Amino acid sequence: MSTKLDKYSEFLNTKVKRDVATGISGHFDINPNLFDFQRSLVLWAVKRGRAAIFAFTGAGKNAMAPEWANIITKKVGGKAIIFEPLGVIGGAIEEAKEILGLDIKHVYSKADLDDKHTLFITNYERMEKFDSEDFTAVVLDEASILKGFDGQTRNYFIDNWSSVPFRLVSTATPAPNDYMELGNYSEFLGIMDYHEMLGSFFTHCSENTSKWILKGHAAKRFWEWMAGWSVTLTSPSDLGYDDSDYLLPPLNLVQISVKTDSSVPVANTLQERLQVRRMTTEIRCQEAANLVLNDPDKIWLIWTNLNLESTRMKQLIPWAVEVKGADKPEYKEKMIKDFSHGKIKCLVTKCLIAGMGCNLQVCNNMIFVGLSDSAEQVYQGTRRIWRFGQKNEVNSYHVVSDKEGAVVENLKRKEKQMEEMQKELIEFTKEINSKNIRMASRENDYYDPQ
C-alpha cells in the first residue's frame, strides 16, 4: 500500500521527467582553444538545447556562450543573439575573436541584422528593438543582472523569447537560497514555471509567509531536478577537472575608518547609514583620493555609491575618468574597454554600471568609497579584478566612516555564508553534473555517423 510520501515522490518524478533534452545529438566540432571543462560544458549545453551554466567568475562564459551559439547556428541554421550588460559587450566581442576566431556583430536594433553574420550581440536595455522570431538561438549572459530590473523586464523575456528553440542562460554561481532567481531561469528555459516550481518543492516559512523554504523530503529531488537542466560550479574541480590554472592570488581586504565628530550619528538602520554617508562624503573622498595620489603609477579602480562621491573623486584625482549613469552608452563602453586595456589609469564608476561581467584584471588595486548595502554588488565589484588572469595580489580598500561599524568583517561574514551555501549546492549536484557532462563529452568524442 503506497504512502503519501510515495505518492508525492511519484508526483515529483512526473515533474522531473517532463522536461527532455531538445538539443543536437550526434557529433559536432568544437573549438580546440577552450579548456577541457569549457568544452565539456558547451557539449552538454548543445545537447540539452535549453540549459543554464552557472559558473564562477572568470570561468570563460564569454567564450562558452558564443561557441554554443556558433554550433547551434552551424547545425540548424538561422541567427543567434547574445544579450549582455552594457559594459561587457566590447570585451565579449574581443574574447570571441581572440579565443574562438568568431566574428560577432554588435547590433542596436532589428535594422542592424544582416545575412553576412550569424552571431549578434546587444545590451539588455535594447531588448524591445528585436523580434524573437528572427533568431534560432538566444543567450542571456550575466543573466543575474535581471534581478536589478523590474518585474516587467523579467516578464518580457519570458513572454517574448521563450519561443526561441535554443536558449542558454549563462551567469555566475547563483545564491542557492535565491529561489526566485532560479525559478525565473527555469521558466525562461521552458523547464517549469516559477509558481509550479514553488508548489512542487517549497512551502511557506512559518515565521515569514513571504519566504519560501524547501520541503524537507523534496530537497534531494529539487537539486536532482536542477541538475537536469543546469550545471553549477565554483571551480573546474567541481566537475573532476584540474583547477591549477584557476588558483587566485591573495585578496587583501583593508578597512579605512575615517574619524568623525559627535555631529555624525552612529549608523544602525538603512536610513541612518545613508545619512552618515552623505554627511561624510567629503572626508571619505579625501581619504580615498590620497591612496591614489600617493601612488599615481598604479592602475586604480574606484567604486562609488552616491553621485556626489563619483563627482568628487573625479575632481580630486585630475587624471581619473568618471563613467556615470547619465553618460551615453557608447561612451560607457569605450571608457570601460580602454580601462581594461590599461589606457586609463584610474576609473571612477558604480557597480551598477561596470560591476557585472567586465574583465578588469589589468588592475589589482580598488577602492570602495561608497559601500552598497548589497553584498552581492560588492562581491561582483571585487570579482572584476580578482578573477582568472589576475597575476598579482589584489588590494581592496573600503573607505568608511567610523560610525558605520566593522564593514569589512560583515562582508567577510556574508561571503562566507554564501560560500557555504554554494558548497552545499555543489555537493547536492556534483555527482549528477559530472556524470551528465562527461557523458555528453563521450557521446561527442566517439559518435561515428557511418
Side-chain angles (χ1 to χ4, degrees), residues 102-375:
L102 296 177
D103 183 18
I104 304 180
K105 183 178 180 181
H106 187 181
V107 289
Y108 299 90
S109 70
K110 179 184 174 73
D112 296 327
L113 300 176
D114 58 40
D115 293 328
K116 178 183 176 182
H117 298 82
T118 57
L119 304 181
F120 302 88
I121 192 168
T122 193
N123 61 289
Y124 281 106
E125 287 80 1
R126 296 183 179 275
M127 60 187 182
E128 293 183 342
K129 297 184 180 295
F130 298 89
D131 292 328
S132 60
E133 291 80 5
D134 294 329
F135 302 97
T136 300
V138 57
V139 177
L140 300 188
D141 195 22
E142 301 297 339
S144 63
I145 196 173
L146 294 178
K147 292 189 295 185
F149 290 115
D150 55 25
Q152 186 177 354
T153 305
R154 171 258 187 205
N155 292 337
Y156 175 83
F157 273 104
I158 291 174
D159 294 341
N160 294 278
W161 288 84
S162 295
S163 60
V164 177
F166 297 90
R167 283 162 265 159
L168 179 69
V169 167
S170 174
T171 193
T173 310
N177 64 340
D178 195 340
Y179 302 123
M180 180 176 291
E181 180 181 1
L182 298 176
N184 288 342
Y185 299 148
S186 169
E187 190 164 350
F188 169 75
L189 294 172
I191 312 299
M192 184 186 292
D193 71 54
Y194 173 64
H195 296 290
E196 191 177 2
M197 181 196 78
L198 290 178
S200 299
F201 301 106
F202 296 86
T203 185
H204 280 298
C205 174
S206 59
E207 298 177 356
N208 182 358
T209 56
S210 65
K211 182 179 179 181
W212 292 85
I213 57 175
L214 269 171
K215 298 173 182 176
H217 51 281
K220 183 174 183 293
R221 292 302 182 98
F222 174 74
W223 297 118
E224 287 176 346
W225 172 75
M226 281 283 299
W229 56 271
S230 67
V231 172
T232 303
L233 70 156
T234 54
S235 73
S237 60
D238 290 335
L239 298 178
Y241 292 92
D242 176 52
D243 62 359
S244 57
D245 289 331
Y246 282 85
L247 299 178
L248 296 177
L251 170 66
N252 304 314
L253 296 176
V254 181
Q255 177 169 329
I256 300 176
S257 296
V258 181
K259 291 185 177 181
T260 60
D261 58 34
S262 58
S263 65
V264 179
V266 175
N268 293 313
T269 67
L270 180 63
Q271 191 63 34
E272 288 171 345
R273 287 197 294 273
L274 181 59
Q275 179 187 4
V276 167
R277 287 167 194 168
R278 293 188 186 282
M279 294 177 68
T280 61
T281 295
E282 181 61 27
I283 56 175
R284 286 186 294 103
C285 287
Q286 289 281 355
E287 190 72 25
N290 288 338
L291 291 171
V292 180
L293 297 173
N294 292 333
D295 214 338
D297 294 331
K298 291 180 178 177
I299 298 177
W300 292 88
L301 174 59
I302 301 177
W303 297 114
T304 61
N305 189 34
L306 303 175
N307 290 339
L308 184 57
E309 294 166 347
S310 182
T311 301
R312 191 66 182 120
M313 292 305 298
K314 174 67 180 76
Q315 294 170 343
L316 292 169
I317 305 170
W319 60 89
V321 171
E322 180 188 16
V323 175
K324 53 187 183 298
D327 291 331
K328 292 184 177 180
E330 295 78 12
Y331 177 81
K332 294 177 186 177
E333 286 185 49
K334 185 178 188 309
M335 293 303 102
I336 293 172
K337 183 178 179 180
D338 285 351
F339 180 75
S340 70
H341 287 292
K343 296 179 181 179
I344 294 172
K345 297 198 69 175
C346 182
L347 178 68
V348 180
T349 190
K350 295 181 179 181
C351 289
L352 286 173
I353 297 173
M356 296 291 291
C358 296
N359 301 330
L360 307 178
Q361 56 267 39
V362 66
C363 165
N364 69 305
N365 292 283
M366 75 173 79
I367 304 171
F368 286 88
V369 180
L371 281 180
S372 167
D373 283 294
S374 168

Side-chain angles (χ1 to χ4, degrees), residues 253-258 267-268 273 276-277 280 284 305 367-375 378-379 382 396-416:
L253 296 176
V254 181
Q255 177 169 329
I256 300 176
S257 296
V258 181
N268 293 313
R273 287 197 294 273
V276 167
R277 287 167 194 168
T280 61
R284 286 186 294 103
N305 189 34
I367 304 171
F368 286 88
V369 180
L371 281 180
S372 167
D373 283 294
S374 168
V378 177
Y379 171 82
T382 302
S396 179
Y397 300 93
H398 297 257
V399 182
V400 299
S401 73
D402 57 0
K403 302 298 174 63
E404 293 184 76
V407 172
V408 166
E409 289 304 315
N410 287 335
L411 289 173
K412 288 180 179 178
R413 175 179 54 79
K414 289 180 180 179
E415 184 162 344
K416 184 179 180 180

